[in-house]
Amino acid sequence: MTDVKQVQQQAALSLERLWPRLEITFRDDANAAPTDWCVFERRLRHEWERLFVLLIGLYGGQYDFFYHLEEILGAMAHSWLARPTWLKQLDARREAAPTWFQSQLMVGGVCYVDLFAGTLHGLRDRLLYFKKLGITYLHLMPLFESPESNSDGGYAVSSYRRVNPRLGTIEELAELAHEFQEHGISLVLDFVFNHTSDEHEWARCAKAGDHEYERFYFLFPDRAMPDAYEHALREIFPTVRHGSFTWREDISKWVWTTFNSFQWDLNYANPAVFRAMTQEMLFIANSGVEILRLDAVAFIWKRLGTNCENQPEAHQIIQAFNSITRIAAPGMLFKSEAIVHPDDVLSYISTRECQISYNPLLMALLWESLATREVKLLDHSMRSRFQLPQGTAWVNYLRSHDDIGWTFDDNDARWEWIDPAGHRSFLNQFYIGRFAGSFARGVSFQENPATGDARVSGTLASLAGLEQAIQVADEQQIELAVRRILMLHSIILSIGGIPLIYLGDEFGTLNEYSFASDLYKADDSRWVHRPKADWAWRKRVENDPSSPHGHIFTELVRLIALRKQQPAIYGNETEFVETGNGHLFGYIRHGGGQRLFVIANFSEHPQEMDADRLRVYGPGFSFTDMITSHILTSERPLRLEPYQCMWLVARSAGL
Ligand code: GLC
Ligand code: GLC
């Protein structure tokens, strides 16, 4: 008998043994809601073999495997039965249209509840604002209970079941999710599952010497193991602390802390951790989350002698969570946060793992092209790396709450005669304003003199030149900065996938330097691009036609509306084209029987694409630029103004 056959038989036999026990446990609930129970059984039977194979692969060697398997099964049944009716209805709708998120109607926004609206209640009051902007996907930055002092912006979670009391309650969160869904806005929340805060109940128990919970983390009595691991590890926050381990005086142990010293990595080699986190995940799912952002996916499995990133088991764990979701919360999707090498980013994306993913390569290379005014690396990389498996999508963004890292592939760079290390160093210098003539005002993040590595913080507007231009009151520079900002948005809105706006950027918010005087933020420059929304200011500039901020907002609202009208933007089939001009980035989108040709000028000088190419790629002889409504023909070369982006459609299909 083959191994596969054997595991299939084991899966079937296990379910045969476990199902009757489950029926007994849940008899009353099943009798009260027989249809729901049948739906659960159908999904479970459909998915069981895949889940079993993944779990036995991860944990089959553990003496208590079968115990955990039964617990996981019980957790799924319990969670499904507790799932609110509106979510069950949504599940059915999503199952009937599993690629709903590929629609051109999708537009994402991300914000911190406190910085954007004070509380969850305040956020509900902003519903009309989100609708005005056209948002259909709202990512709220971590809002669960976390340490009062430094919590890495909420990424140190102390309870996955309680909302930070300053923001509201779990009931308010669930109400918000429901209300927003009725208005077509899907809630996105983080699943910070690589680590908990050192104040989480599990960490408290571990600190108190409870052996079961000590095994939830990586605790070591001396440096032997930390040293053995450390020589192959990358340092994530080198300016805060060297290495990936923290000495805890209170327990006389070293703790594995990949990020900050108060973020304790969870030990997924222990099936109890997987089981416990499954329960937390399902609880979050039932609060109304439609898309779960899986935080720091690359780091969740450790293997001695490796850099402990992107290990095969990390994929198995996420796939097992995916499988559990298909059974107990099937409407929910996963979004991968892997800010790593492009090959590794891709490895997390599939319908069976994470259906959507940040596109850090596009993000980094848009900034790269803006600095160099050349699109060769962007074009080269996108040609081979943009395409995704069926049924998945990119989340295309310009800025997030995090820093910018230059995650392009070294060989892609060499192919274009670019020295990767030298180029990264140039980009850092350029964006932190140390390069003569740079328009950017960024701040360095985690500069590591030992490795020469660094990343960049700063808001979209400050990095694109608006801060500097306003400071020197140079009208022409202001105009160029606004154009850069709008061109970048025109690309993420049309290239294929879900565009994600870091809220604040829609008004071209500038860097906010006051974080430096906050004890808990001073050593983390990412706070420079996390300013508090100033609604009075927003209102003022929105109605002031002379304000660059108001102009950015009005134009962005218009571009979003244009995206939604254009069926060619559906999905992520994108054909990158040779524009014949090193400053022009171009691609064709097909969808709904339409053809859209997008072309963007990354230079501050006018540029042309010749008429021959236009006849080949363009949408016909006579066409319209959706953005300006200008009518053009392929008789003449196409001329683009500085930083102009055109969305060209055939005239008959034009607006
Ligand atoms: C992710 C988050 C980042 C956080 C880290 C640790 O990368 O985006 O903000 O610091 O995970 O949770
Ligand atoms: C992410 C990345 C790292 C990033 C950090 C947060 O998971 O891997 O490069 O800078 O966490 O800033």
Side-chain angles (χ1 to χ4, degrees):
M1 192 161 45
T2 64
D3 280 358
V4 177
K5 265 228 152 91
Q6 196 177 349
V7 179
Q8 283 172 344
Q9 281 184 5
Q10 288 169 350
L13 187 59
S14 302
L15 191 59
E16 231 172 84
R17 287 171 172 164
L18 289 173
W19 179 254
R21 292 158 61 99
L22 199 73
E23 278 188 311
I24 294 169
T25 314
F26 291 95
R27 184 184 296 147
D28 293 346
D29 302 283
N31 286 341
T35 322
D36 273 358
W37 188 249
C38 280
V39 171
F40 177 73
E41 185 179 356
R42 179 172 53 77
R43 290 201 181 110
L44 177 70
R45 290 195 184 280
H46 180 74
E47 197 62 36
W48 178 253
E49 191 178 297
R50 173 165 93 107
L51 179 59
F52 181 86
V53 169
L54 286 164
L55 292 179
I56 203 168
L58 283 162
Y59 303 118
Q62 307 270 348
Y63 80 95
D64 53 356
F65 171 65
F66 209 73
Y67 164 75
H68 290 293
L69 190 64
E70 184 161 17
E71 290 286 302
I72 290 167
L73 195 53
M76 291 190 294
H78 174 79
S79 171
W80 171 251
L81 291 166
R83 193 158 168 82
T85 311
W86 73 272
L87 282 172
K88 287 183 176 151
Q89 289 163 351
L90 189 64
D91 288 333
R93 290 211 302 280
R94 297 306 191 208
E95 279 180 314
T99 53
W100 59 277
F101 53 86
Q102 294 183 336
S103 164
Q104 74 274 17
L105 300 178
M106 289 294 290
V107 174
V110 48
C111 65
Y112 288 88
V113 176
D114 54 345
L115 299 174
F116 194 74
T119 60
L120 285 173
H121 194 77
L123 200 77
R124 284 174 81 173
D125 292 343
R126 296 287 168 205
L127 177 64
L128 284 180
Y129 177 77
F130 295 127
K131 293 191 75 164
K132 176 173 179 186
L133 198 53
I135 298 293
T136 62
Y137 156 128
L138 182 64
H139 174 198
L140 301 182
M141 294 297 293
L143 43 70
F144 291 107
E145 210 173 84
S146 59
E148 274 288 311
S149 48
N150 192 344
S151 68
D152 188 16
Y155 280 101
V157 178
S158 304
S159 164
Y160 298 90
R161 299 190 182 225
R162 281 191 302 271
V163 167
N164 182 333
R166 283 188 299 111
L167 307 177
T169 63
I170 195 82
E171 290 77 21
E172 283 172 1
L173 178 69
E175 281 164 26
L176 180 138
H178 192 178
E179 184 184 342
F180 276 35
Q181 174 48 234
E182 283 178 343
H183 288 270
I185 301 175
S186 300
L187 180 64
V188 186
L189 286 189
D190 280 87
F191 187 40
V192 186
F193 72 127
N194 174 69
H195 44 263
T196 71
S197 89
D198 59 353
E199 294 182 7
H200 191 285
E201 195 193 327
W202 303 336
R204 286 180 198 268
C205 291
K207 282 188 277 187
D210 181 329
H211 294 312
E212 172 151 19
Y213 289 100
E214 281 178 338
R215 292 188 59 243
F216 268 47
Y217 301 96
F218 297 90
L219 306 179
F220 304 100
D222 52 43
R223 281 297 302 179
M225 287 312 289
D227 284 342
Y229 277 110
E230 208 145 62
H231 68 254
L233 297 178
R234 159 166 90 102
E235 286 182 327
I236 303 299
F237 290 155
T239 61
V240 186
R241 175 180 45 92
H242 278 298
S244 296
F245 298 85
T246 301
W247 172 252
R248 292 290 300 218
E249 202 60 54
D250 49 351
I251 51 172
S252 297
K253 286 195 171 78
W254 289 94
V255 187
W256 197 315
T257 55
T258 298
F259 294 91
N260 289 290
S261 54
F262 49 85
Q263 289 163 302
W264 288 21
D265 286 42
L266 285 163
N267 179 5
Y268 278 91
N270 177 0
V273 168
F274 180 86
R275 193 244 312 136
M277 286 306 277
T278 295
Q279 288 165 327
E280 303 314 282
M281 178 184 76
L282 291 176
F283 178 84
I284 296 173
N286 277 359
S287 65
V289 176
E290 269 201 80
I291 298 174
L292 206 54
R293 172 192 182 276
L294 300 193
D295 181 61
V297 288
F299 300 91
I300 60 173
W301 191 271
K302 327 289 186 200
R303 172 171 283 111
L304 195 61
T306 72
N307 65 357
C308 298
E309 292 184 40
N310 311 301
Q311 296 299 305
E313 290 85 349
H315 294 285
Q316 277 171 264
I317 287 168
I318 300 168
Q319 286 169 18
F321 281 139
N322 174 308
S323 179
I324 287 169
T325 305
R326 299 281 70 73
I327 298 166
M332 191 168 75
L333 301 178
F334 287 169
K335 168 183 173 182
S336 155
E337 191 249 348
I339 314 300
V340 286
H341 184 276
D343 291 340
D344 295 317
V345 172
L346 203 61
S347 70
Y348 293 92
I349 311 172
S350 85
T351 53
R352 318 209 108 202
E353 201 164 328
C354 296
Q355 297 90 342
I356 63 175
S357 165
Y358 279 105
N359 191 347
L361 184 63
L362 175 69
M363 184 278 290
L365 292 181
L366 287 171
W367 289 107
E368 187 270 345
S369 297
L370 213 56
T372 59
R373 280 76 161 170
E374 294 200 347
V375 302
K376 60 183 182 181
L377 186 53
L378 171 65
D379 180 62
H380 176 94
S381 309
M382 288 305 124
R383 273 167 200 274
S384 55
R385 300 182 181 279
F386 191 78
Q387 207 183 345
L388 286 183
Q390 286 279 318
T392 62
W394 286 119
V395 173
N396 298 311
Y397 65 113
L398 301 168
R399 291 298 295 115
S400 73
H401 66 288
D402 278 334
D403 46 291
I404 301 177
W406 308 107
T407 58
F408 55 80
D409 174 70
D410 288 2
N411 285 329
D412 286 354
R414 291 190 190 105
W415 185 266
E416 296 296 339
W417 300 100
I418 294 170
D419 163 47
H423 200 51
R424 288 195 178 93
S425 146
F426 155 72
L427 291 167
N428 282 326
Q429 300 299 313
F430 185 92
Y431 281 107
I432 57 184
R434 288 187 201 153
F435 187 83
S438 166
F439 49 74
R441 276 284 165 81
V443 180
S444 80
F445 180 66
Q446 302 300 328
E447 205 164 353
N448 188 345
T451 59
D453 190 27
R455 280 115 72 188
V456 175
S457 295
T459 66
L460 168 76
S462 289
L463 294 176
L466 191 58
E467 182 176 329
Q468 200 183 85
I470 289 179
Q471 224 156 49
V472 297
D474 183 328
E475 284 303 324
Q476 199 193 345
Q477 287 302 320
I478 292 177
E479 170 68 21
L480 288 177
V482 170
R483 285 169 174 241
R484 286 185 199 105
I485 292 168
L486 292 173
M487 176 190 68
L488 292 178
H489 278 112
S490 306
I491 294 173
I492 61 162
L493 284 168
S494 63
I495 196 164
I498 305 172
L500 176 61
I501 297 165
Y502 183 66
L503 293 172
D505 286 348
E506 76 279 25
F507 272 100
T509 309
L510 304 179
N511 284 349
E512 164 66 62
Y513 296 93
S514 62
F515 77 96
S517 50
D518 182 326
L519 180 62
Y520 297 122
K521 295 180 176 165
D523 63 6
D524 189 337
S525 73
R526 291 174 297 172
W527 288 101
V528 85
H529 55 248
R530 300 171 180 174
K532 198 167 182 291
D534 180 343
W535 289 93
W537 172 81
R538 282 168 171 247
K539 211 177 159 87
R540 240 186 2 259
V541 295
E542 190 184 337
N543 299 313
D544 174 1
S546 69
S547 159
H549 302 284
H551 182 59
I552 291 169
F553 181 73
T554 316
E555 271 300 290
L556 194 57
V557 170
R558 199 173 70 83
L559 287 170
I560 289 171
L562 286 178
R563 164 187 162 91
K564 295 192 178 194
Q565 285 164 26
Q566 182 46 255
I569 293 177
Y570 177 90
N572 46 15
E573 293 284 331
T574 304
E575 190 188 329
F576 294 93
V577 306
E578 205 59 73
T579 62
N581 177 330
H583 306 291
L584 297 179
F585 180 49
Y587 49 85
I588 300 169
R589 303 297 326 280
H590 304 273
Q594 298 272 349
R595 181 185 173 92
L596 173 74
F597 178 47
V598 175
I599 183 159
N601 177 7
F602 275 79
S603 146
E604 63 265 69
H605 303 293
Q607 298 292 333
E608 289 191 348
M609 184 171 92
D610 69 39
D612 279 353
R613 286 181 199 268
L614 192 56
R615 284 193 280 275
V616 177
Y617 303 129
F621 175 74
S622 169
F623 40 84
T624 309
D625 171 19
M626 289 177 67
I627 297 180
T628 57
S629 300
H630 288 167
I631 293 167
L632 303 141
T633 74
S634 53
E635 262 174 332
R636 275 183 294 280
L638 189 66
R639 182 190 151 97
L640 287 98
E641 295 305 318
Y643 300 117
Q644 185 176 9
C645 179
M646 291 181 174
W647 289 0
L648 304 175
V649 285
R651 221 181 133 187
S652 51
L655 301 173

